[in-house]
Amino acid sequence: MKQWIENIRDDILAKTKDMSREQAAEYVLTYYWYHMLLGALALGLALLLIYHVGWGRNRKPEFSCVIVNQEVDFTRDAGIAEDFSGFSGIGTKKLSIDSDYLISYEDVQLPEANESSYEKFFFNWSSGAIAAIHLPERFYEYCLGLGGEFLELGEMDSGEIQIPAELAYPGAEEDGLAVRVKGTVLEKWLQMDESDPLLLVFPVEGKHREQSRQFLEYVLERRSE
């Protein structure tokens, strides 16, 4: 690149040495406009690459929630993020709500699912990249069978959060690990299946506990609207 620029500069200097400034400028614009365009494009790509490597890849969300085995709908996901942002004050660009997790397991076989979704889910879980999960009851039990651990909801509050008995899972008398989605604000966003209820859980590996507590508050305090 450097040598290419130097060659063009030397060629321009040689051909315009006897021209006035105006003539030289006109000559360069006439015969070297495409060189300047290519140079600008190359510079733009270089700056984009530097940004992506230096900043873009390091812009991790402050809260990441995944939705398992619901319709993949990025417009809906953005709507949930915007609604939670309005409740919590966390900027939408710092929130990640992602439904691109269609997973087959045991006798639950989804035609849209692929192995990469399964691997992505458990890799992100183990690395702490997932703070909250919406998942069907059967998949919740499957994860428990694999040794998955979820936060006891009592560990997330500071004496301010009360889990209503009708939303506690498996029941109000238990140290609950999950909240039933039906009856919460999330019900308007997600599909309900009475035979396989949708739950909200928080993996113990998940980071950003304060934001997770805020999300639980959002889910419980807004309730079904």
Side-chain angles (χ1 to χ4, degrees), residues 4 16 53 55 70 76 117 126 135 148 150 185 189:
W4 179 70
T16 61
V53 173
W55 290 279
Q70 290 272 312
R76 176 204 57 210
S117 290
S126 64
L135 75 178
F150 303 103
V185 67
W189 299 101

Side-chain angles (χ1 to χ4, degrees), residues 6 10 12 53 56 71 95 102 111 113 119 141-142 157 166 172 188-189 199 201 205 207-208 213 216-217 223:
E6 290 179 350
D10 293 341
I12 291 174
V53 173
E71 179 183 2
L95 300 174
L102 297 176
E119 294 172 350
E141 294 172 349
Y142 174 78
D157 68 56
E166 67 272 18
K188 70 179 181 180
W189 299 101
L199 306 175
V201 295
E205 295 87 353
K207 302 173 184 177
H208 309 122
R213 185 184 66 80
L216 181 59
E217 287 180 336
R223 302 296 295 276

